[in-house]
Amino acid sequence: MVLLESFNVPLGTPAPEFSLRGIDDAVHALREYQDAKVLAVIFMCNHCPYVQAQWPRLVELQEKFKDRGVQFIGINANSDADYPEDSFEKMKEYAEKFRMNFPYLRDETQEVGRSYKAQCTPDIFVYDEERKLAYHGRVDDNWKEREKVTRHELQVAVEALLAGRRPSDEQKPAMGCSIKWRE
Protein backbone atom coordinates (compact mmCIF):
# COMPACT_ATOMS: atom_id res chain seq x y z
CA MET A 1 0.00 0.00 0.00
CA VAL A 2 1.50 3.28 -1.15
CA LEU A 3 0.19 6.35 0.71
CA LEU A 4 -0.32 9.42 -1.47
CA GLU A 5 -2.02 12.80 -1.23
CA SER A 6 -4.29 14.19 -3.92
CA PHE A 7 -2.80 16.45 -6.60
CA ASN A 8 -3.42 20.17 -6.33
CA VAL A 9 -6.05 20.67 -9.04
CA PRO A 10 -6.92 24.39 -9.36
CA LEU A 11 -10.29 25.44 -7.96
CA GLY A 12 -12.60 26.52 -10.79
CA THR A 13 -11.46 23.67 -13.06
CA PRO A 14 -14.47 22.32 -15.02
CA ALA A 15 -15.63 18.76 -14.32
CA PRO A 16 -14.39 16.42 -17.06
CA GLU A 17 -17.05 14.45 -18.90
CA PHE A 18 -17.56 10.78 -18.16
CA SER A 19 -19.77 7.95 -19.31
CA LEU A 20 -19.24 4.84 -17.19
CA ARG A 21 -21.03 1.62 -16.32
CA GLY A 22 -22.34 1.43 -12.79
CA ILE A 23 -22.89 -1.54 -10.54
CA ASP A 24 -26.56 -1.21 -11.47
CA ASP A 25 -25.41 -2.12 -15.04
CA ALA A 26 -26.63 1.24 -16.34
CA VAL A 27 -24.33 3.75 -18.01
CA HIS A 28 -23.98 6.99 -16.04
CA ALA A 29 -22.78 10.26 -17.57
CA LEU A 30 -21.91 13.65 -16.10
CA ARG A 31 -24.83 15.30 -17.94
CA GLU A 32 -27.28 13.06 -16.04
CA TYR A 33 -26.54 15.04 -12.90
CA GLN A 34 -27.03 18.53 -14.34
CA ASP A 35 -29.83 19.29 -11.88
CA ALA A 36 -27.68 18.62 -8.82
CA LYS A 37 -26.77 21.77 -6.92
CA VAL A 38 -23.59 20.08 -5.70
CA LEU A 39 -21.86 17.11 -7.32
CA ALA A 40 -19.17 15.15 -5.47
CA VAL A 41 -17.08 12.80 -7.61
CA ILE A 42 -15.16 10.41 -5.39
CA PHE A 43 -12.43 8.18 -6.75
CA MET A 44 -12.52 5.14 -4.52
CA CYS A 45 -11.96 1.41 -4.54
CA ASN A 46 -12.78 -1.65 -2.48
CA HIS A 47 -9.51 -2.80 -0.95
CA CYS A 48 -8.07 0.47 0.40
CA PRO A 49 -8.31 0.81 4.20
CA TYR A 50 -8.60 4.61 3.85
CA VAL A 51 -11.72 4.19 1.70
CA GLN A 52 -13.16 1.47 3.93
CA ALA A 53 -12.77 3.67 7.00
CA GLN A 54 -14.53 6.60 5.34
CA TRP A 55 -17.15 4.76 3.29
CA PRO A 56 -19.79 4.92 6.06
CA ARG A 57 -19.17 8.68 6.41
CA LEU A 58 -19.71 9.20 2.68
CA VAL A 59 -22.94 7.18 2.81
CA GLU A 60 -24.12 9.26 5.78
CA LEU A 61 -23.31 12.54 4.02
CA GLN A 62 -25.19 11.47 0.88
CA GLU A 63 -28.16 10.56 3.05
CA LYS A 64 -27.97 13.87 4.91
CA PHE A 65 -27.88 15.96 1.73
CA LYS A 66 -29.88 13.88 -0.77
CA ASP A 67 -33.03 16.01 -0.42
CA ARG A 68 -31.05 19.23 -0.85
CA GLY A 69 -29.78 18.64 -4.37
CA VAL A 70 -26.46 16.99 -3.54
CA GLN A 71 -25.29 13.97 -5.51
CA PHE A 72 -22.29 11.80 -4.69
CA ILE A 73 -20.79 9.50 -7.33
CA GLY A 74 -18.13 6.88 -6.63
CA ILE A 75 -15.71 5.87 -9.38
CA ASN A 76 -13.32 2.93 -9.18
CA ALA A 77 -10.40 3.47 -11.58
CA ASN A 78 -8.11 0.83 -10.06
CA SER A 79 -6.72 -1.90 -12.27
CA ASP A 80 -7.97 -5.20 -10.94
CA ALA A 81 -5.17 -7.20 -12.61
CA ASP A 82 -3.05 -7.15 -9.44
CA TYR A 83 -5.91 -6.17 -7.12
CA PRO A 84 -8.79 -8.60 -7.80
CA GLU A 85 -10.59 -7.14 -4.79
CA ASP A 86 -11.29 -4.10 -6.99
CA SER A 87 -13.11 -6.03 -9.72
CA PHE A 88 -16.55 -5.00 -10.95
CA GLU A 89 -18.12 -8.04 -9.29
CA LYS A 90 -16.50 -7.17 -5.95
CA MET A 91 -17.66 -3.56 -6.31
CA LYS A 92 -21.23 -4.85 -6.07
CA GLU A 93 -20.40 -6.82 -2.91
CA TYR A 94 -18.71 -3.88 -1.21
CA ALA A 95 -21.53 -1.52 -2.16
CA GLU A 96 -23.98 -3.89 -0.49
CA LYS A 97 -21.73 -4.33 2.55
CA PHE A 98 -21.47 -0.56 3.09
CA ARG A 99 -25.12 0.08 2.10
CA MET A 100 -23.97 2.44 -0.60
CA ASN A 101 -26.64 4.98 -1.51
CA PHE A 102 -24.97 6.64 -4.48
CA PRO A 103 -23.83 5.37 -7.90
CA TYR A 104 -20.62 3.33 -7.99
CA LEU A 105 -19.05 3.34 -11.43
CA ARG A 106 -16.22 1.40 -13.06
CA ASP A 107 -13.53 3.30 -14.99
CA GLU A 108 -12.20 0.26 -16.84
CA THR A 109 -9.97 2.24 -19.23
CA GLN A 110 -8.78 4.61 -16.47
CA GLU A 111 -9.29 7.55 -18.85
CA VAL A 112 -11.75 9.26 -16.50
CA GLY A 113 -9.41 8.96 -13.50
CA ARG A 114 -6.60 10.47 -15.57
CA SER A 115 -8.82 13.29 -16.87
CA TYR A 116 -9.72 14.26 -13.29
CA LYS A 117 -6.06 13.94 -12.23
CA ALA A 118 -7.13 11.50 -9.51
CA GLN A 119 -4.17 10.31 -7.47
CA CYS A 120 -5.37 8.36 -4.45
CA THR A 121 -8.37 6.64 -2.92
CA PRO A 122 -10.40 8.36 -1.78
CA ASP A 123 -9.84 11.44 -3.96
CA ILE A 124 -12.78 13.81 -3.64
CA PHE A 125 -13.77 16.46 -6.19
CA VAL A 126 -16.76 18.67 -5.31
CA TYR A 127 -18.36 20.78 -8.04
CA ASP A 128 -20.79 23.70 -7.84
CA GLU A 129 -23.89 24.09 -10.03
CA GLU A 130 -21.76 25.31 -12.93
CA ARG A 131 -19.62 22.15 -12.54
CA LYS A 132 -16.57 24.13 -11.52
CA LEU A 133 -14.31 22.57 -8.88
CA ALA A 134 -15.10 24.16 -5.52
CA TYR A 135 -13.56 21.66 -3.09
CA HIS A 136 -10.81 19.10 -3.53
CA GLY A 137 -9.89 17.79 -0.13
CA ARG A 138 -10.43 15.22 2.54
CA VAL A 139 -13.59 14.02 4.27
CA ASP A 140 -12.42 15.12 7.71
CA ASP A 141 -9.33 15.46 9.89
CA ASN A 142 -9.09 11.87 11.16
CA TRP A 143 -9.64 9.11 8.61
CA LYS A 144 -8.76 6.34 11.04
CA GLU A 145 -10.47 7.21 14.32
CA ARG A 146 -13.89 8.62 13.64
CA GLU A 147 -14.51 9.46 17.28
CA LYS A 148 -11.52 11.84 17.19
CA VAL A 149 -12.74 13.89 14.20
CA THR A 150 -12.86 17.61 14.99
CA ARG A 151 -13.17 19.09 11.46
CA HIS A 152 -15.83 17.80 9.03
CA GLU A 153 -14.28 19.48 5.98
CA LEU A 154 -16.30 17.82 3.21
CA GLN A 155 -19.58 18.48 5.01
CA VAL A 156 -18.64 22.12 5.65
CA ALA A 157 -17.73 22.58 1.97
CA VAL A 158 -21.04 21.12 0.79
CA GLU A 159 -22.98 23.26 3.27
CA ALA A 160 -21.17 26.39 2.05
CA LEU A 161 -22.10 25.63 -1.57
CA LEU A 162 -25.73 24.98 -0.63
CA ALA A 163 -25.78 28.36 1.14
CA GLY A 164 -24.45 30.09 -1.98
CA ARG A 165 -20.94 30.58 -0.60
CA ARG A 166 -17.58 29.33 -1.78
CA PRO A 167 -15.82 26.82 0.46
CA SER A 168 -12.64 28.05 2.08
CA ASP A 169 -9.62 28.09 -0.21
CA GLU A 170 -7.69 26.44 2.63
CA GLN A 171 -8.27 22.80 1.77
CA LYS A 172 -6.26 19.87 3.08
CA PRO A 173 -5.55 17.25 0.42
CA ALA A 174 -7.18 13.86 0.55
CA MET A 175 -4.86 11.01 1.43
CA GLY A 176 -5.05 7.33 0.71
CA CYS A 177 -3.79 4.40 -1.32
CA SER A 178 -2.36 5.16 -4.74
CA ILE A 179 -4.60 4.50 -7.70
CA LYS A 180 -3.42 1.28 -9.32
CA TRP A 181 -2.67 2.41 -12.87
CA ARG A 182 -2.07 0.04 -15.74
CA GLU A 183 1.32 0.31 -17.41
Side-chain angles (χ1 to χ4, degrees), residues 88-178:
F88 188 75
E89 294 73 29
K90 290 286 188 180
M91 286 171 61
K92 292 178 180 184
E93 291 176 25
Y94 276 82
E96 187 174 326
K97 173 183 175 181
F98 286 103
R99 299 180 181 179
M100 197 166 187
N101 55 359
F102 52 92
Y104 195 18
L105 315 179
R106 181 76 175 134
D107 181 11
E108 191 68 41
T109 66
Q110 300 183 316
E111 290 174 15
V112 174
R114 291 186 192 283
S115 71
Y116 276 78
K117 296 184 175 53
Q119 171 77 359
C120 57
T121 57
D123 202 346
I124 302 165
F125 298 79
V126 179
Y127 296 91
D128 62 18
E129 281 188 273
E130 296 175 2
R131 295 305 170 254
K132 304 284 188 195
L133 186 63
Y135 180 79
H136 184 217
R138 60 191 185 180
V139 173
D140 53 45
D141 64 351
N142 197 322
W143 74 270
K144 195 171 189 177
E145 298 176 89
R146 187 176 186 168
E147 63 281 356
K148 293 185 179 178
V149 170
T150 61
R151 297 178 60 208
H152 301 272
E153 292 148 277
L154 175 57
Q155 178 178 326
V156 168
V158 169
E159 287 172 344
L161 288 167
L162 288 173
R165 299 187 320 270
R166 303 300 305 165
S168 169
D169 287 343
E170 187 180 322
Q171 299 176 10
K172 303 284 186 196
M175 149 180 109
C177 300
S178 64

Side-chain angles (χ1 to χ4, degrees), residues 44-57:
M44 55 193 295
C45 67
N46 304 327
H47 85 274
C48 175
Y50 295 90
V51 172
Q52 290 182 13
Q54 295 177 48
W55 209 320
R57 298 175 218 186

Side-chain angles (χ1 to χ4, degrees), residues 30 33 36-41 71-73 125-128 131:
L30 179 66
Y33 304 100
K37 293 178 184 172
V38 177
L39 181 69
V41 177
Q71 180 63 60
F72 283 26
I73 298 170
F125 298 79
V126 179
Y127 296 91
D128 62 18
R131 295 305 170 254

Side-chain angles (χ1 to χ4, degrees), residues 5-20:
E5 288 185 344
S6 55
F7 282 127
N8 183 12
V9 177
L11 297 178
T13 299
E17 291 291 332
F18 63 81
S19 182
L20 299 169

Side-chain angles (χ1 to χ4, degrees), residues 27-91:
V27 174
H28 297 258
L30 179 66
R31 65 186 164 280
E32 260 180 74
Y33 304 100
Q34 64 188 2
D35 293 337
K37 293 178 184 172
V38 177
L39 181 69
V41 177
I42 304 151
F43 287 87
M44 55 193 295
C45 67
N46 304 327
H47 85 274
C48 175
Y50 295 90
V51 172
Q52 290 182 13
Q54 295 177 48
W55 209 320
R57 298 175 218 186
L58 295 169
V59 167
E60 288 168 14
L61 286 172
Q62 177 63 82
E63 183 64 28
K64 176 180 181 135
F65 291 119
K66 72 178 182 181
D67 294 331
R68 296 180 61 196
V70 176
Q71 180 63 60
F72 283 26
I73 298 170
I75 298 177
N76 180 355
N78 270 5
S79 168
D80 59 0
D82 293 324
Y83 291 85
E85 201 65 20
D86 286 331
S87 71
F88 188 75
E89 294 73 29
K90 290 286 188 180
M91 286 171 61

